[in-house]
Amino acid sequence: MTSQRLGEARRYEEASEKRIPDEERPAFHLSPRVGWMNDPNGFSWFEGKYHLFYQYNPYEVQWGPMHWGHAVSEDLLHWEYLPAALAPDQVWDRDGCFSGSAVTLADGRQLLMYTGVVRERQADGSWADVQAQCVAAGDGVDYEKYEKNPVLDEKDIPEGGSRNDFRDPKMWQEEDGTYRCVIGNRSADGSGQILLFSSPDGFAWHYEKVLAASRNRFGRMWECPDFFPLDGKWILIVSPQDMLPSGLEYHNGNGTLCLIGDYDKKTAEYEEIANQSVDYGIDFYAPQTVLAPDGRRIMIGWLQNWDTCSHRGQRDEGWFGQMSIPRELSVRNGRLCQKPIRELERMRQNKVEYENVALSGAVRLEGVRGRRIDMELEIRQEEGCGLYRKFTVCFAQNDSYYTSVSFRPDESVLKVDRKFSGSRKAVIHQRRSKVRHEGGRLKLRVILDRFSAEIFVNDGEQVLSLVLYTVQEAEDISFIAEGTVKLDVVKYDLV
Ligand code: FRU
């Protein structure tokens, strides 16, 4: 039965999506049907399609009462909206259906698990969110919330863990058919920990153990965990709040963290080996992965960061927030690597290619322009010219605006900069990352989709993502070298 609140949201989104012209939203990055979007939720493969749900407030371009929006796709690039899946309409989730995940049940239904939020008046008169985990089962369109919700609440949290920060369950199914989930929590030391739970059927859940703990190493609360095997290792991805910077690896505020380690399923012991950022750009948070039917581990993140949401300004374009390009994950040389999903190559058209361009000063190359493009660059030293000092590519450019990526080989630093993209807000517009290169040789792949840029470095060793709201007419691209750079360019339109 569709509740009144869900029915209202469904009618509202259907009537209101029409006021957003297709050209005024991203072409192949999922954006909300209408209103506000944050985290990806319930990323899954169900009955022959990928399903992606999202944190959703249809009524405003601001965060508000959290619903789950819903879309399906066969290639993760062309999306079809389905009616909103969840609304905050029960006593146990009346102040929000926060982030969560999806699995398939033994009887073929799809199970969603999410965090139900209830604001409670405290003894001192203040208000606090209490968070518990709830489930809903359905057919891929309509979901029925379980009458015994919540299935996990404060009684299931180990001693010292906070009932106010207990959220974002990510479930998976084991080979024996039973289920596990990881949930973000804040421990007595004020920092994040990840709790592991198990269930025989998806409805009855039991606490197992603390899978990993921050002990104040990485920010405060850890949001949106995901835990999965990849290339012989186990990857734990979390999104810490309130990070302190560490070199160019981690930056202040909301960040992303990837732990690479070994996991013993019998004892459920996780041993960390290495850590790194997931994305080194400005806008990326709360990623979630799916295991594709062909075995690929594919990740999508919210292409936004809480700290920079005001960058867009107050104008109401009908939508706010978008997802990243889906990324295929692998572990290479002990690091998490990401590549845009290969399905993107089917959208490539109008190839333009330049080889061995000797560049010094600024140039534009005939045919290299556009705001929906896939562009591969390889730069290196020109023989006999010594190491160049700096290489820059500017895009989304016209006489007034541009966004740039620049590389200084002597520092091994790559920088993205959207300061001149038309933004009128004092938020972070630049970010730098250490990258690997041999004698100035570097590979970049730049994906643009109207309101975003994602820069993949050295076949996915690093990614730097950002959103930009520059007018669409700004579609020039130019290259600038200080010193002499040898440049190869392959550019496609994405159609
Ligand atoms: C992360 C997050 C989650 C929470 C959701 C609420 O961006 O804060 O922890 O479930 O957003 O919308």
Side-chain angles (χ1 to χ4, degrees):
M1 248 264 294
T2 306
S3 70
Q4 194 188 338
R5 207 150 180 208
L6 184 61
E8 268 164 27
R10 287 178 166 190
R11 281 190 297 279
Y12 181 83
E13 61 182 0
E14 210 186 319
S16 318
E17 67 178 345
K18 299 181 190 78
R19 66 188 165 92
I20 310 169
D22 277 352
E23 326 68 70
E24 289 175 21
R25 52 159 94 231
F28 51 92
H29 288 67
L30 183 68
S31 53
R33 191 162 178 187
V34 61
W36 166 277
M37 160 192 279
N38 58 289
D39 315 352
N41 292 160
F43 193 15
S44 52
W45 173 262
F46 180 67
E47 289 188 342
K49 280 186 179 152
Y50 292 102
H51 286 245
L52 186 60
F53 304 81
Y54 51 91
Q55 288 287 281
Y56 184 35
N57 177 16
Y59 305 109
E60 283 175 302
V61 286
Q62 280 179 39
W63 191 86
M66 279 293 112
H67 295 60
W68 276 33
H70 191 185
V72 289
S73 175
E74 274 161 29
D75 63 0
L76 295 170
L77 297 166
H78 298 86
W79 293 96
E80 181 197 333
Y81 291 112
L82 293 183
L86 300 175
D89 52 16
Q90 302 294 325
V91 283
W92 61 76
D93 63 16
R94 61 166 189 245
D95 293 304
C97 298
F98 277 18
S99 286
S101 55
V103 290
T104 303
L105 290 169
D107 65 9
R109 286 180 301 162
Q110 189 175 43
L111 185 77
L112 310 181
M113 190 191 235
Y114 64 97
T115 301
V117 177
V118 176
R119 301 207 82 199
E120 250 183 22
R121 197 76 193 248
Q122 307 301 291
D124 65 0
S126 65
W127 292 87
D129 282 359
V130 178
Q131 306 188 330
Q133 317 315 320
C134 304
V135 294
D139 61 1
V141 179
D142 295 306
Y143 296 85
E144 195 160 334
K145 291 178 182 171
Y146 184 42
E147 69 278 4
K148 292 189 190 138
N149 277 337
V151 294
L152 285 170
D153 64 14
E154 55 191 285
K155 297 187 290 298
D156 304 291
I157 303 173
E159 209 185 315
S162 165
R163 64 187 199 126
N164 308 113
D165 287 300
F166 176 45
R167 59 180 176 271
D168 311 334
K170 174 73 201 286
M171 301 182 282
W172 69 95
Q173 191 170 28
E174 287 291 345
E175 289 94 10
D176 65 2
T178 61
Y179 299 93
R180 300 287 178 280
C181 83
V182 282
I183 302 180
N185 183 226
R186 200 200 274 247
S187 60
D189 67 12
S191 72
Q193 63 182 358
I194 299 304
L195 307 179
L196 176 72
F197 297 85
S198 68
S199 170
D201 58 4
F203 294 91
W205 286 90
H206 311 281
Y207 170 69
E208 293 285 335
K209 70 189 324 172
V210 176
L211 184 75
S214 173
R215 293 187 197 85
N216 277 304
R217 291 171 301 156
F218 302 106
R220 308 284 283 177
M221 172 63 182
W222 280 4
E223 301 189 305
C224 299
D226 198 346
F227 186 56
F228 52 87
L230 187 69
D231 296 333
K233 292 287 161 209
W234 278 77
I235 306 295
L236 178 63
I237 289 179
V238 297
S239 295
Q241 297 179 315
D242 308 309
M243 294 272 275
L244 291 171
S246 156
L248 295 183
E249 191 63 34
Y250 302 108
H251 55 74
N252 314 63
N254 287 286
T256 51
L257 168 68
C258 169
L259 300 177
I260 302 181
D262 289 320
Y263 179 57
D264 181 342
K265 273 194 188 182
K266 280 201 204 78
T267 59
E269 281 299 317
Y270 185 60
E271 192 197 331
E272 284 174 39
I273 300 169
N275 66 77
Q276 64 172 93
S277 269
V278 180
D279 194 287
Y280 294 80
I282 307 171
D283 300 299
F284 190 85
Y285 197 68
Q288 195 171 86
T289 69
V290 67
L291 184 62
D294 60 9
R296 285 179 293 168
R297 180 61 64 170
I298 301 175
M299 177 178 76
I300 284 188
W302 182 37
L303 202 60
Q304 197 59 62
N305 185 300
W306 289 108
D307 299 321
T308 55
C309 286
S310 63
H311 160 218
R312 178 129 185 208
Q314 297 306 309
R315 287 177 307 149
D316 180 1
E317 268 90 3
W319 64 276
F320 181 90
Q322 54 181 305
M323 294 300 167
S324 72
I325 191 96
R327 303 166 181 188
E328 293 178 15
L329 301 185
S330 62
V331 177
R332 230 165 52 218
N333 304 322
R335 284 186 59 86
L336 181 76
C337 290
Q338 308 170 42
K339 285 188 176 183
I341 42 157
R342 60 196 70 167
E343 284 82 346
L344 191 68
E345 285 154 37
R346 295 192 215 136
M347 293 178 67
R348 286 173 161 180
Q349 277 184 30
N350 310 327
K351 180 176 185 183
V352 177
E353 190 169 9
Y354 290 87
E355 259 179 56
N356 293 315
V357 179
L359 183 69
S360 62
V363 298
R364 288 198 183 158
L365 298 172
E366 176 73 38
V368 179
R369 62 203 330 270
R371 286 289 286 275
R372 266 186 301 154
I373 62 159
D374 184 348
M375 179 168 70
E376 293 171 328
L377 306 176
E378 189 179 309
I379 57 173
R380 52 194 178 272
Q381 264 187 62
E382 167 75 312
E383 237 169 274
C385 292
L387 188 58
Y388 57 92
R389 290 185 298 285
K390 187 178 173 189
F391 167 82
T392 306
V393 49
C394 298
F395 49 85
Q397 183 174 24
N398 64 7
D399 292 342
S400 311
Y401 307 122
Y402 65 91
T403 293
S404 65
V405 179
S406 56
F407 176 57
R408 288 183 181 275
D410 61 334
E411 297 173 354
S412 303
V413 166
L414 188 77
K415 182 171 105 178
V416 291
D417 188 347
R418 64 170 179 204
K419 198 169 161 197
F420 301 102
S421 66
S423 166
R424 293 173 191 275
K425 295 288 162 187
V427 297
I428 293 282
H429 288 318
Q430 301 174 335
R431 197 145 272 148
R432 293 180 302 149
S433 169
K434 282 267 180 203
V435 297
R436 200 183 50 82
H437 68 100
E438 278 137 41
R441 183 184 288 266
L442 188 76
K443 279 174 87 173
L444 300 176
R445 183 168 169 196
V446 181
I447 311 284
L448 303 185
D449 180 13
R450 289 192 181 128
F451 302 99
S452 64
E454 288 162 276
I455 322 294
F456 292 79
V457 184
N458 292 332
D459 298 309
E461 276 175 9
Q462 256 124 356
V463 191
L464 291 84
S465 305
L466 58 130
V467 297
L468 49 112
Y469 298 112
T470 318
V471 290
Q472 295 302 309
E473 303 84 83
E475 56 168 15
D476 288 344
I477 294 174
S478 60
F479 304 94
I480 306 159
E482 289 175 26
T484 307
V485 169
K486 201 68 169 274
L487 169 70
D488 298 337
V489 183
V490 184
K491 182 237 134 186
Y492 303 87
D493 295 325
L494 292 170
V495 182

